[in-house]
Amino acid sequence: MHVRTVESAQSVGGLAEFDQWYDECGKQNYTDVARVPLEDLAGWRTDPATGNIGHHSGKFFTVQGLQVRLPGAAVPAWTQPIINQPEVGILGILVTEFDGVLHCLMQAKVEPGNANGVQLSPTVQATRSNYTGVHKGKTVPYIEYFRDRDRPHRMIADVRQSEQGAWFHRKRNRNMIIEVFEPVEVLEGFVWLTIGQVHELLQVEDLINMDARTVLACLPFAGAQPTGAAAGADDFRAALIRSCAGGRGSRHSMGDILAWITDVRTQYDDVQAAMIPLDQVRNWRRNQEAIWHETGAFFRVIGVDVRAGGREVGQWMQPMIEPLGVGLVAVLVKRIDGVLHVLMHARVEAGYLDVIELGPTVQCTPENYDHLTPAARPPFLDEVQAAGPDQIRYDTVLSEEGGRFYHARNRYLVVETDRDVPVQQYPDYRWMTLSQLGELLRHSHYVNIQARSLIACLHSLLSKQAVFA
C-alpha cells in the first residue's frame, strides 16, 4: 500500500477545476452564525443543581467542570470548563484507484466555528448522535461504507484517536481509511483528489480541516525510498523520505521509544483529573451571556444560533468554546545521519484518557503565558518564534474542529535546527522518525491531534517541487 500512497502523493497539479468546484460549493454551503446568550440556547438546558449545560436529548455533549492536580508543575492545580462528549464519532476517507493512481473522496463541509466557511473534510465526519439520527436530519452520506462490514473493501486504517485534551474530556473518534473496489456515486459537495493534490491544498490557509488532517496522518508512507538523484542527496526532501522509510537511521529504537513513553506515563501516575459541577470551577466567571476566565485569557464558552445550507440540519443552537488568540503548533526537525527526525514532547493534558500523549515540540497560545511565571513558559518556544526564513519548512495557519470550537486557529510550523537536545536536560522530549510515528499511529492514544496534523503537513512536503538545501 505504501508504494501506491507515495505514487499518489507525487501526483500533483491540475487544481484549476477543483478551484472552480470549491468556489461553487462555497456559494451553496454556508453558515450564518449569530452569538446568543447561553441562557437562550433552544434545545439546551442548564442543570440547576450543577450548572452543567446539556442537550435536552441527553446526547451530543455537555459542558461541565474539570478539576486538575499536577504535582510539581509550574501550575500544580486548576479548574476549568470542559466538553464531555463520551460517544465515539467516525472520521473516514474513502479511497480508490483511477488510472492506477490512488484518489481520496473529500467533502466540502461547513461548520459553525469555521472562520472562513467551507473547508475540505473527510468523506464522513459525524458524531454517533449525527449518524444515528438524533438530530432528525438527513442521513450522513457514505456512512454505510464505514459501518457495513459485508461490503467488498480493504481496511487501510482503523484506529480510535483522541481529540484536544485541553478542551475535551477523553474525547475519541474512529479514524478510518477504506479502499473501495466498486463504482462510487459522487454526490454534490464531494470530489476525488489525489493525495498529492490534497497535500498541495495543505499549503493553503484554513482549507484542509482538522478532521481531514488527522485521518490523512494515518496513511501508510513507511517504506518510501529516495530515488534517482535524491537517493544519494543530503537535502531536506531526501532526509524526509528516509525518515518515512523505517527501520534504518533512527536515533532511538522503537523499543526504546515505547519504554520511554511508558516510563513518562508512570512518572505522571499522580496526575488527577476529575469531573466537577460547572458551578464549582474557580477563577471563572459566568453570566447569562458567556463563561470566561477572570484574567481574560485561555477561552470563553459562548452560545451560537446557526442557520446552515448544505448540512443535515438547517438550523440549531449550541454552546461552543471560543479560544482567545491564534495558537502556535510547531516541531523542530533535524537531519541525523541523513535521516530527518522530529522532536516530540511527551505532553500532559488533563483530558487525555492515558494522561500522556506525544505532542509537537511546542503547542501553546503564547499570550496565555503573559500572566504566568517564567517557569511555566514552554521549552523551545523562543527558539521557534525566532526561527528565520532559511529554517522554516512549513508555515500555514490552519483551523481546528469547527463543530465545537469557534474560530479556533493555529499556526502550524516546521522549523529545521541543528541543535542537540540532551535527554538528561529534556527528559520529556525525544527525536523520532516519521516511520516511528507512523508505527505509533496504528495504535490509540500515542500521538495527539496537533501532532497528527503536523505529520500530515510533513508528508505534504514529500510532493513539493522545491528541494530544500
Side-chain angles (χ1 to χ4, degrees):
M1 179 65 195
H2 65 268
V3 174
R4 293 189 298 150
T5 303
V6 174
E7 289 175 347
S8 182
Q10 299 300 321
S11 181
V12 298
L15 288 172
E17 186 176 339
F18 166 83
D19 292 338
Q20 183 178 355
W21 171 85
Y22 179 73
D23 289 342
E24 188 60 33
C25 288
K27 297 173 184 176
Q28 299 179 22
N29 299 273
Y30 65 89
T31 54
D32 292 329
V33 181
R35 292 177 184 249
V36 295
L38 287 173
E39 299 298 324
D40 292 344
L41 293 177
W44 298 78
R45 63 183 294 270
T46 297
D47 188 316
T50 63
N52 294 347
I53 303 170
H55 195 260
H56 68 80
S57 68
K59 303 292 185 179
F60 298 108
F61 64 93
T62 58
V63 182
Q64 299 177 232
L66 187 73
Q67 179 175 272
V68 183
R69 299 191 185 280
L70 187 57
V75 181
W78 71 90
T79 61
Q80 65 169 87
I82 199 163
I83 294 175
N84 185 12
Q85 186 175 338
E87 61 183 35
V88 177
I90 291 177
L91 307 177
I93 294 178
L94 291 182
V95 299
T96 196
E97 283 190 1
F98 294 106
D99 298 325
V101 178
L102 209 62
H103 285 65
C104 303
L105 186 60
M106 307 300 290
Q107 176 186 181
K109 191 175 182 69
V110 290
E111 295 283 5
N114 288 356
N116 64 329
V118 174
Q119 295 185 11
L120 215 56
S121 80
T123 315
V124 167
Q125 175 186 318
T127 65
R128 182 174 178 83
S129 291
N130 281 341
Y131 69 72
T132 57
V134 173
H135 55 35
K136 303 186 186 304
K138 301 174 185 175
T139 302
V140 175
Y142 303 108
I143 188 66
E144 64 274 12
Y145 289 92
F146 298 91
R147 301 189 70 195
D148 184 355
R149 285 292 177 267
D150 294 329
R151 287 178 172 268
H153 61 245
R154 176 185 296 161
M155 187 68 69
I156 295 173
D158 187 5
V159 59
R160 296 204 300 184
Q161 298 287 11
S162 65
E163 303 275 317
Q164 284 85 350
W167 298 334
F168 278 123
H169 180 66
R170 299 186 175 183
K171 174 73 170 68
R172 292 157 292 163
N173 274 320
R174 192 172 180 177
N175 289 224
M176 305 176 73
I177 303 173
I178 291 177
E179 183 176 8
V180 293
F181 303 100
E182 59 192 59
V184 176
E185 180 186 3
V186 180
L187 302 176
E188 187 175 341
F190 292 80
V191 64
W192 290 107
L193 296 170
T194 69
I195 296 170
Q197 288 173 320
V198 176
H199 281 171
E200 280 195 83
L201 297 173
L202 261 173
Q203 317 300 317
V204 181
E205 191 170 293
D206 294 326
L207 181 52
I208 305 294
N209 80 355
M210 181 201 79
D211 296 308
R213 300 192 303 267
T214 180
V215 181
L216 289 168
C218 298
L219 280 166
F221 278 88
Q225 295 287 348
T227 59
D234 191 28
D235 60 38
F236 179 86
R237 187 168 174 274
L240 176 60
I241 295 172
R242 293 190 189 98
S243 186
C244 295
R248 294 184 297 276
S250 55
R251 167 68 65 89
H252 306 283
S253 72
M254 200 66 212
D256 288 342
I257 291 293
L258 289 170
W260 166 65
I261 294 170
T262 302
D263 184 56
V264 175
R265 284 175 169 171
T266 303
Q267 292 176 33
Y268 284 99
D269 273 347
D270 54 355
V271 173
Q272 299 176 22
M275 302 298 292
I276 60 174
L278 189 56
D279 278 350
Q280 292 183 18
V281 295
R282 302 181 303 275
N283 308 119
W284 292 78
R285 298 181 181 179
R286 179 174 181 172
N287 60 19
Q288 292 184 341
E289 298 290 327
I291 302 170
W292 68 98
H293 195 265
E294 61 186 13
T295 63
F298 307 117
F299 61 86
R300 287 189 287 257
V301 181
I302 63 171
V304 295
D305 182 2
V306 185
R307 301 288 194 278
R311 294 275 306 203
E312 293 88 0
V313 176
Q315 191 275 330
W316 71 94
M317 292 185 179
Q318 68 172 89
M320 300 192 83
I321 282 181
E322 180 187 27
L324 302 175
V326 176
L328 178 63
V329 178
V331 285
L332 291 176
V333 298
K334 179 181 180 180
R335 302 177 219 179
I336 301 175
D337 296 328
V339 178
L340 195 74
H341 284 63
V342 184
L343 187 61
M344 302 300 294
H345 178 206
R347 179 180 174 86
V348 178
E349 288 196 18
Y352 290 154
L353 185 66
D354 209 355
V355 182
I356 295 284
E357 292 192 15
L358 296 186
T361 315
V362 174
Q363 176 190 317
C364 69
T365 301
E367 294 84 352
N368 286 343
Y369 293 88
D370 290 346
H371 68 285
L372 299 177
T373 64
R377 193 168 178 84
F380 307 106
L381 173 58
D382 294 334
E383 179 174 348
V384 165
Q385 289 184 310
D390 59 323
Q391 294 178 267
I392 294 174
R393 302 292 175 246
Y394 180 92
D395 186 1
T396 306
V397 175
L398 299 170
S399 293
E400 302 307 316
E401 207 272 331
R404 301 291 175 264
F405 312 138
Y406 185 77
H407 292 187
R409 304 169 76 231
N410 282 311
R411 181 188 179 194
Y412 281 85
L413 197 61
V414 175
V415 175
E416 187 168 14
T417 183
D418 59 1
R419 70 167 293 177
D420 193 21
V421 180
V423 296
Q424 297 83 1
Q425 185 178 356
Y426 298 98
D428 291 345
Y429 293 80
R430 287 294 187 278
W431 290 109
M432 297 179 61
T433 65
L434 281 170
S435 174
Q436 291 175 324
L437 290 168
E439 179 65 25
L440 292 177
L441 279 171
R442 296 173 56 197
H443 308 278
S444 301
H445 311 139
Y446 276 106
V447 182
N448 79 0
I449 195 159
Q450 291 87 353
R452 296 197 300 273
S453 279
L454 272 171
I455 289 169
C457 296
L458 278 161
H459 284 158
S460 77
L461 301 180
L462 288 167
S463 52
K464 287 194 73 173
Q465 300 304 307
V467 177
F468 298 100

